[in-house]
Amino acid sequence: MTMAETPASPEVTSAAPRRRSTATDVALVAAFAALIAACTVIGGVPVGGAGVDITLQTFGVLLAGCVLGAARGFLAVVVYLVLGAIGLPVFAGHTGGLSAFTGVSAGYLWSFPVAALLAGFLVQYVFRARRTRAAFVFVAAMAGTALNHACGIVGMKLYLDSTWEQAIKFDAPFWVGDIVKALLVAIVAAEVHRAFPRLLGR
Amino acid sequence: MARIELDSASVTAPGADGDLTILEPTTRTLTEQRIGVIGANGSGKSTLVRLLNGLVSPSTGRVLVDGLDVARQGAAVRRRVGFCFTDPAAQLVMPTCVEDVELSLRRSVRDAGERRRRALEVLDRYGLAAQADLSVHSLSGGQRQLLALAGVLATGPSVLIADEPTTLLDLANTRRVADVLFGLEQQLVLVTHDLELVRRCERVLVVERARVRYDGPADAAVADYLSTVPG
Amino acid sequence: MNPAYLFGVYQPGTTVLHRAWVGAKVGALAVFSLAVVLVRSMPASFGFLAIAVLAAAVARVDLRLLVRSLRPVLVVAVIFAALQWLLYGPVKAAETLVDLLALALAAIVVSSTTPVNAMLDALIRWIRPLRRVGVDPERVALTVGLAIQALPGTVALAIETRDAARARGVRHPRAFLSPFVIRVVARAHETGDALHARGIGDD
């Protein structure tokens, strides 16, 4: 089969064998840092018919892990946090700066890179070829979500000086939205891996 | 002039039903100063020129630039072969014009003051001196492409590959960019859909269905290409 | 996307805090935050808030910016304070509210008096010792710079893809998220090629 039978499209060029280069890794890490920022600042997305709006920040974080794998996903989230820390308005509510790192929900924020790392590790090294199937990516995304919530609970316990039980109760309502977001991550990441089969290849 | 050699170089990619041939084995020696490459979208011409500086590796065969193997001595080849892309937005990576040119000079000029002086010189040469400290987002499309060219030419490559550099530009900007390209002392490999531009090349390759179907003087090549286009 | 978007919360000025060394400001904020979290007493909480308010006054932080930046923090703080009032009574609730306010205010003071570039330069300087464990500060600077460059374009791409999905009458977020993410990945490959062609990553 030659190129003549395939429709002309940008995918043709991206199918060409390219060497895995550090330049592409740098570009992907930067692009996903910007993607997490975009997901956070474009605001609520209506989910289903319930009329519940969610921000897509954790969607972006877990997606970075599930699409880029452990190392690059971790770095993309770190770069995103750096963008916010140096004062760009990339955090929820169009704010930036260091206040997000010292607030009551700081535990969630600090755990983002590790959550992406864990989800990325599972997709890259445990599920490997099965990463094009949403069910497997969902398991990885849920592992990241659980870690994120655990750290969030620890953070709230420290900041609010509450008991573990109370901190867990404060955290509980956020689970619903985060399970929906993990589902979205799974669907989207599986599609991206089908479109770019070499993204995590070696 | 540099000497570019393709020695039965082919490119294949794994597809859903077996391997896709993106470029059939191609053997050519390119030594002319201005070389044009024309052909339909998806014909393989972008892949052909991407072979020349190692953005794509040959699946079989070899590609040599001045005797250097592109696959094995990639870094040395890329110092000789500059590459300019279609969309300037994808290749401008620093916030201001002068910083973007400085990025190219980072490795060859260690001293920061000297690097800035050289970058400003390069901008001046391409008529962008007044824009030096402006954001790359504030430039017009033509200025952006000139800046992308300046960034590539700053390091003094002996070959410039330009992959449809004028496709996104209006007529006036196409002329400005073309004047820069055809005013270069360096060897130029130009991929384009602009048949007016390609007539200014000494040698033109017509690529169709993953192979070079014609190779010769510009007028004959354009006639050959037009004969393949229905209607 | 409005380019003003990229200026973030920094406000130009010439106050003592604007001219102070970035390292000192960030270091002080870290110590302050730790103290607020560790010291649990009502008088101390008001003391911390007084310090933060004083700093904001010295830095002449714009009131509108202050309100805009504090709003999300304040919403969360009020919710938690209300919960604590129910659970532990008013004293504990007030302490929590005052603590969270002091933390947010102090952080805003640092961010609003330090330009993005100065923060970035300081960060690159601080990670220089990490060179020994394989971190290349120049590559970090390039990556962060690239991400900043990509911000407005990526936000525009997200909005464009969302509008395209809406124009076709598709409400499910998946219909716009997949094309959006695929376009981001494709564009990153183009940028990677351009960087690669310029010899970046060869060293």
Side-chain angles (χ1 to χ4, degrees), chain C residues 73-104:
Chain C
V73 184
L74 216 56
V75 169
V76 176
V78 167
I79 292 171
F80 279 106
L83 282 168
Q84 290 203 315
W85 190 314
L86 291 174
L87 296 165
Y88 307 106
V91 178
K92 181 86 193 213
E95 192 196 316
T96 300
L97 192 64
V98 170
D99 272 356
L100 291 174
L101 209 59
L103 285 172

mmCIF file of all heavy atoms in Angstrom, chain C residues 73-104:
data_model
loop_
_atom_site.group_PDB
_atom_site.id
_atom_site.type_symbol
_atom_site.label_atom_id
_atom_site.label_comp_id
_atom_site.label_asym_id
_atom_site.label_seq_id
_atom_site.Cartn_x
_atom_site.Cartn_y
_atom_site.Cartn_z
ATOM 1 N N VAL C 73 -10.346 31.649 47.372
ATOM 2 C CA VAL C 73 -9.828 31.206 48.667
ATOM 3 C C VAL C 73 -10.867 31.451 49.751
ATOM 4 O O VAL C 73 -11.114 30.609 50.617
ATOM 5 C CB VAL C 73 -8.524 31.970 49.000
ATOM 6 C CG1 VAL C 73 -7.931 31.455 50.295
ATOM 7 C CG2 VAL C 73 -7.531 31.857 47.862
ATOM 8 N N LEU C 74 -11.500 32.637 49.658
ATOM 9 C CA LEU C 74 -12.473 33.031 50.662
ATOM 10 C C LEU C 74 -13.692 32.102 50.670
ATOM 11 O O LEU C 74 -14.178 31.706 51.724
ATOM 12 C CB LEU C 74 -12.927 34.471 50.375
ATOM 13 C CG LEU C 74 -13.211 35.336 51.593
ATOM 14 C CD1 LEU C 74 -11.995 35.388 52.500
ATOM 15 C CD2 LEU C 74 -13.596 36.737 51.156
ATOM 16 N N VAL C 75 -14.169 31.742 49.490
ATOM 17 C CA VAL C 75 -15.330 30.856 49.386
ATOM 18 C C VAL C 75 -15.043 29.549 50.128
ATOM 19 O O VAL C 75 -15.826 29.098 50.965
ATOM 20 C CB VAL C 75 -15.679 30.576 47.899
ATOM 21 C CG1 VAL C 75 -16.700 29.458 47.797
ATOM 22 C CG2 VAL C 75 -16.207 31.843 47.241
ATOM 23 N N VAL C 76 -13.874 28.961 49.836
ATOM 24 C CA VAL C 76 -13.493 27.705 50.485
ATOM 25 C C VAL C 76 -13.372 27.914 51.995
ATOM 26 O O VAL C 76 -13.892 27.136 52.799
ATOM 27 C CB VAL C 76 -12.153 27.195 49.902
ATOM 28 C CG1 VAL C 76 -11.692 25.944 50.648
ATOM 29 C CG2 VAL C 76 -12.311 26.903 48.414
ATOM 30 N N ALA C 77 -12.702 29.010 52.379
ATOM 31 C CA ALA C 77 -12.469 29.260 53.804
ATOM 32 C C ALA C 77 -13.781 29.405 54.563
ATOM 33 O O ALA C 77 -13.935 28.869 55.668
ATOM 34 C CB ALA C 77 -11.616 30.516 53.970
ATOM 35 N N VAL C 78 -14.751 30.114 53.955
ATOM 36 C CA VAL C 78 -16.034 30.328 54.634
ATOM 37 C C VAL C 78 -16.782 29.006 54.786
ATOM 38 O O VAL C 78 -17.346 28.714 55.839
ATOM 39 C CB VAL C 78 -16.895 31.362 53.867
ATOM 40 C CG1 VAL C 78 -18.326 31.355 54.378
ATOM 41 C CG2 VAL C 78 -16.281 32.758 54.019
ATOM 42 N N ILE C 79 -16.741 28.169 53.749
ATOM 43 C CA ILE C 79 -17.414 26.865 53.826
ATOM 44 C C ILE C 79 -16.840 26.039 54.979
ATOM 45 O O ILE C 79 -17.559 25.484 55.804
ATOM 46 C CB ILE C 79 -17.278 26.095 52.496
ATOM 47 C CG1 ILE C 79 -18.084 26.814 51.401
ATOM 48 C CG2 ILE C 79 -17.757 24.649 52.660
ATOM 49 C CD1 ILE C 79 -17.859 26.267 50.014
ATOM 50 N N PHE C 80 -15.489 26.022 55.037
ATOM 51 C CA PHE C 80 -14.858 25.215 56.086
ATOM 52 C C PHE C 80 -15.127 25.800 57.478
ATOM 53 O O PHE C 80 -15.347 25.069 58.427
ATOM 54 C CB PHE C 80 -13.359 25.091 55.834
ATOM 55 C CG PHE C 80 -13.049 24.042 54.817
ATOM 56 C CD1 PHE C 80 -12.648 24.379 53.536
ATOM 57 C CD2 PHE C 80 -13.197 22.701 55.130
ATOM 58 C CE1 PHE C 80 -12.387 23.411 52.593
ATOM 59 C CE2 PHE C 80 -12.941 21.725 54.183
ATOM 60 C CZ PHE C 80 -12.536 22.078 52.922
ATOM 61 N N ALA C 81 -15.112 27.134 57.548
ATOM 62 C CA ALA C 81 -15.375 27.764 58.840
ATOM 63 C C ALA C 81 -16.786 27.431 59.312
ATOM 64 O O ALA C 81 -17.007 27.123 60.483
ATOM 65 C CB ALA C 81 -15.188 29.278 58.721
ATOM 66 N N ALA C 82 -17.732 27.449 58.373
ATOM 67 C CA ALA C 82 -19.119 27.133 58.720
ATOM 68 C C ALA C 82 -19.218 25.697 59.240
ATOM 69 O O ALA C 82 -19.867 25.434 60.257
ATOM 70 C CB ALA C 82 -20.016 27.320 57.497
ATOM 71 N N LEU C 83 -18.537 24.787 58.546
ATOM 72 C CA LEU C 83 -18.542 23.386 58.985
ATOM 73 C C LEU C 83 -17.963 23.267 60.388
ATOM 74 O O LEU C 83 -18.478 22.537 61.240
ATOM 75 C CB LEU C 83 -17.727 22.528 58.012
ATOM 76 C CG LEU C 83 -18.430 22.177 56.705
ATOM 77 C CD1 LEU C 83 -17.449 21.596 55.704
ATOM 78 C CD2 LEU C 83 -19.549 21.175 56.991
ATOM 79 N N GLN C 84 -16.874 24.010 60.629
ATOM 80 C CA GLN C 84 -16.234 23.905 61.936
ATOM 81 C C GLN C 84 -17.078 24.522 63.036
ATOM 82 O O GLN C 84 -17.026 24.085 64.184
ATOM 83 C CB GLN C 84 -14.865 24.557 61.862
ATOM 84 C CG GLN C 84 -13.932 23.705 60.998
ATOM 85 C CD GLN C 84 -12.510 23.978 61.330
ATOM 86 O OE1 GLN C 84 -12.103 25.111 61.468
ATOM 87 N NE2 GLN C 84 -11.718 22.930 61.464
ATOM 88 N N TRP C 85 -17.819 25.557 62.684
ATOM 89 C CA TRP C 85 -18.726 26.159 63.666
ATOM 90 C C TRP C 85 -19.693 25.089 64.151
ATOM 91 O O TRP C 85 -19.906 24.896 65.344
ATOM 92 C CB TRP C 85 -19.493 27.306 63.011
ATOM 93 C CG TRP C 85 -20.278 28.150 63.988
ATOM 94 C CD1 TRP C 85 -21.085 27.700 64.986
ATOM 95 C CD2 TRP C 85 -20.291 29.567 64.053
ATOM 96 N NE1 TRP C 85 -21.624 28.752 65.674
ATOM 97 C CE2 TRP C 85 -21.154 29.925 65.126
ATOM 98 C CE3 TRP C 85 -19.690 30.593 63.328
ATOM 99 C CZ2 TRP C 85 -21.410 31.259 65.475
ATOM 100 C CZ3 TRP C 85 -19.966 31.904 63.674
ATOM 101 C CH2 TRP C 85 -20.808 32.226 64.746
ATOM 102 N N LEU C 86 -20.254 24.322 63.202
ATOM 103 C CA LEU C 86 -21.195 23.264 63.550
ATOM 104 C C LEU C 86 -20.533 22.195 64.408
ATOM 105 O O LEU C 86 -21.112 21.677 65.348
ATOM 106 C CB LEU C 86 -21.761 22.625 62.282
ATOM 107 C CG LEU C 86 -22.686 23.511 61.451
ATOM 108 C CD1 LEU C 86 -23.064 22.812 60.149
ATOM 109 C CD2 LEU C 86 -23.935 23.848 62.265
ATOM 110 N N LEU C 87 -19.292 21.856 64.077
ATOM 111 C CA LEU C 87 -18.634 20.727 64.728
ATOM 112 C C LEU C 87 -17.974 21.094 66.051
ATOM 113 O O LEU C 87 -18.048 20.373 67.025
ATOM 114 C CB LEU C 87 -17.579 20.131 63.794
ATOM 115 C CG LEU C 87 -18.130 19.515 62.506
ATOM 116 C CD1 LEU C 87 -17.009 19.288 61.504
ATOM 117 C CD2 LEU C 87 -18.836 18.206 62.828
ATOM 118 N N TYR C 88 -17.274 22.258 66.046
ATOM 119 C CA TYR C 88 -16.456 22.572 67.215
ATOM 120 C C TYR C 88 -16.826 23.885 67.885
ATOM 121 O O TYR C 88 -16.206 24.296 68.842
ATOM 122 C CB TYR C 88 -14.979 22.656 66.837
ATOM 123 C CG TYR C 88 -14.455 21.454 66.114
ATOM 124 C CD1 TYR C 88 -14.190 21.513 64.751
ATOM 125 C CD2 TYR C 88 -14.183 20.266 66.798
ATOM 126 C CE1 TYR C 88 -13.689 20.427 64.082
ATOM 127 C CE2 TYR C 88 -13.683 19.168 66.128
ATOM 128 C CZ TYR C 88 -13.438 19.241 64.773
ATOM 129 O OH TYR C 88 -12.950 18.170 64.113
ATOM 130 N N GLY C 89 -17.750 24.641 67.298
ATOM 131 C CA GLY C 89 -18.123 25.912 67.908
ATOM 132 C C GLY C 89 -17.435 27.095 67.238
ATOM 133 O O GLY C 89 -16.548 26.926 66.414
ATOM 134 N N PRO C 90 -17.860 28.300 67.626
ATOM 135 C CA PRO C 90 -17.438 29.522 66.925
ATOM 136 C C PRO C 90 -15.952 29.858 67.054
ATOM 137 O O PRO C 90 -15.374 30.412 66.137
ATOM 138 C CB PRO C 90 -18.316 30.602 67.572
ATOM 139 C CG PRO C 90 -18.779 30.028 68.868
ATOM 140 C CD PRO C 90 -18.841 28.545 68.669
ATOM 141 N N VAL C 91 -15.342 29.533 68.182
ATOM 142 C CA VAL C 91 -13.946 29.951 68.388
ATOM 143 C C VAL C 91 -13.037 29.306 67.354
ATOM 144 O O VAL C 91 -12.259 29.963 66.657
ATOM 145 C CB VAL C 91 -13.474 29.582 69.821
ATOM 146 C CG1 VAL C 91 -12.019 29.969 70.008
ATOM 147 C CG2 VAL C 91 -14.346 30.301 70.852
ATOM 148 N N LYS C 92 -13.183 28.003 67.254
ATOM 149 C CA LYS C 92 -12.385 27.242 66.303
ATOM 150 C C LYS C 92 -12.646 27.725 64.865
ATOM 151 O O LYS C 92 -11.719 27.853 64.061
ATOM 152 C CB LYS C 92 -12.753 25.762 66.437
ATOM 153 C CG LYS C 92 -12.006 24.848 65.534
ATOM 154 C CD LYS C 92 -10.689 24.448 66.154
ATOM 155 C CE LYS C 92 -9.860 23.805 65.103
ATOM 156 N NZ LYS C 92 -8.993 22.789 65.531
ATOM 157 N N ALA C 93 -13.905 28.012 64.553
ATOM 158 C CA ALA C 93 -14.269 28.455 63.210
ATOM 159 C C ALA C 93 -13.596 29.780 62.880
ATOM 160 O O ALA C 93 -13.032 29.959 61.801
ATOM 161 C CB ALA C 93 -15.788 28.577 63.092
ATOM 162 N N ALA C 94 -13.623 30.699 63.826
ATOM 163 C CA ALA C 94 -13.008 32.010 63.610
ATOM 164 C C ALA C 94 -11.504 31.861 63.390
ATOM 165 O O ALA C 94 -10.925 32.492 62.510
ATOM 166 C CB ALA C 94 -13.284 32.911 64.807
ATOM 167 N N GLU C 95 -10.895 30.990 64.186
ATOM 168 C CA GLU C 95 -9.449 30.794 64.063
ATOM 169 C C GLU C 95 -9.102 30.297 62.665
ATOM 170 O O GLU C 95 -8.165 30.771 62.030
ATOM 171 C CB GLU C 95 -8.971 29.803 65.128
ATOM 172 C CG GLU C 95 -7.464 29.771 65.249
ATOM 173 C CD GLU C 95 -6.968 28.553 66.001
ATOM 174 O OE1 GLU C 95 -7.550 28.206 67.049
ATOM 175 O OE2 GLU C 95 -6.010 27.928 65.511
ATOM 176 N N THR C 96 -9.873 29.312 62.187
ATOM 177 C CA THR C 96 -9.624 28.762 60.856
ATOM 178 C C THR C 96 -9.751 29.837 59.793
ATOM 179 O O THR C 96 -8.893 29.986 58.920
ATOM 180 C CB THR C 96 -10.635 27.634 60.563
ATOM 181 O OG1 THR C 96 -10.475 26.628 61.541
ATOM 182 C CG2 THR C 96 -10.411 27.057 59.179
ATOM 183 N N LEU C 97 -10.820 30.626 59.884
ATOM 184 C CA LEU C 97 -11.079 31.656 58.881
ATOM 185 C C LEU C 97 -9.939 32.674 58.850
ATOM 186 O O LEU C 97 -9.423 33.032 57.791
ATOM 187 C CB LEU C 97 -12.408 32.347 59.202
ATOM 188 C CG LEU C 97 -12.968 33.249 58.113
ATOM 189 C CD1 LEU C 97 -13.302 32.430 56.875
ATOM 190 C CD2 LEU C 97 -14.215 33.967 58.618
ATOM 191 N N VAL C 98 -9.524 33.114 60.042
ATOM 192 C CA VAL C 98 -8.466 34.124 60.137
ATOM 193 C C VAL C 98 -7.143 33.557 59.614
ATOM 194 O O VAL C 98 -6.402 34.222 58.880
ATOM 195 C CB VAL C 98 -8.339 34.611 61.600
ATOM 196 C CG1 VAL C 98 -7.103 35.478 61.765
ATOM 197 C CG2 VAL C 98 -9.590 35.370 62.013
ATOM 198 N N ASP C 99 -6.860 32.311 59.976
ATOM 199 C CA ASP C 99 -5.617 31.661 59.518
ATOM 200 C C ASP C 99 -5.565 31.596 57.994
ATOM 201 O O ASP C 99 -4.573 31.967 57.372
ATOM 202 C CB ASP C 99 -5.534 30.227 60.061
ATOM 203 C CG ASP C 99 -4.877 30.186 61.437
ATOM 204 O OD1 ASP C 99 -4.442 31.265 61.895
ATOM 205 O OD2 ASP C 99 -4.807 29.094 62.019
ATOM 206 N N LEU C 100 -6.655 31.122 57.399
ATOM 207 C CA LEU C 100 -6.675 30.947 55.940
ATOM 208 C C LEU C 100 -6.570 32.291 55.227
ATOM 209 O O LEU C 100 -5.903 32.422 54.201
ATOM 210 C CB LEU C 100 -7.952 30.210 55.506
ATOM 211 C CG LEU C 100 -8.020 28.743 55.935
ATOM 212 C CD1 LEU C 100 -9.375 28.138 55.580
ATOM 213 C CD2 LEU C 100 -6.902 27.934 55.295
ATOM 214 N N LEU C 101 -7.197 33.296 55.804
ATOM 215 C CA LEU C 101 -7.135 34.639 55.229
ATOM 216 C C LEU C 101 -5.701 35.179 55.274
ATOM 217 O O LEU C 101 -5.207 35.750 54.289
ATOM 218 C CB LEU C 101 -8.080 35.551 56.029
ATOM 219 C CG LEU C 101 -8.698 36.708 55.273
ATOM 220 C CD1 LEU C 101 -9.509 36.193 54.092
ATOM 221 C CD2 LEU C 101 -9.587 37.530 56.215
ATOM 222 N N ALA C 102 -5.039 34.982 56.395
ATOM 223 C CA ALA C 102 -3.660 35.459 56.558
ATOM 224 C C ALA C 102 -2.739 34.782 55.544
ATOM 225 O O ALA C 102 -1.902 35.425 54.898
ATOM 226 C CB ALA C 102 -3.180 35.184 57.982
ATOM 227 N N LEU C 103 -2.908 33.467 55.375
ATOM 228 C CA LEU C 103 -2.083 32.710 54.430
ATOM 229 C C LEU C 103 -2.270 33.235 53.006
ATOM 230 O O LEU C 103 -1.302 33.490 52.290
ATOM 231 C CB LEU C 103 -2.460 31.224 54.463
ATOM 232 C CG LEU C 103 -1.974 30.419 55.655
ATOM 233 C CD1 LEU C 103 -2.604 29.034 55.626
ATOM 234 C CD2 LEU C 103 -0.460 30.308 55.633
ATOM 235 N N ALA C 104 -3.520 33.414 52.614
ATOM 236 C CA ALA C 104 -3.811 33.846 51.247
ATOM 237 C C ALA C 104 -3.273 35.250 50.996
ATOM 238 O O ALA C 104 -2.644 35.525 49.974
ATOM 239 C CB ALA C 104 -5.318 33.810 51.005
#
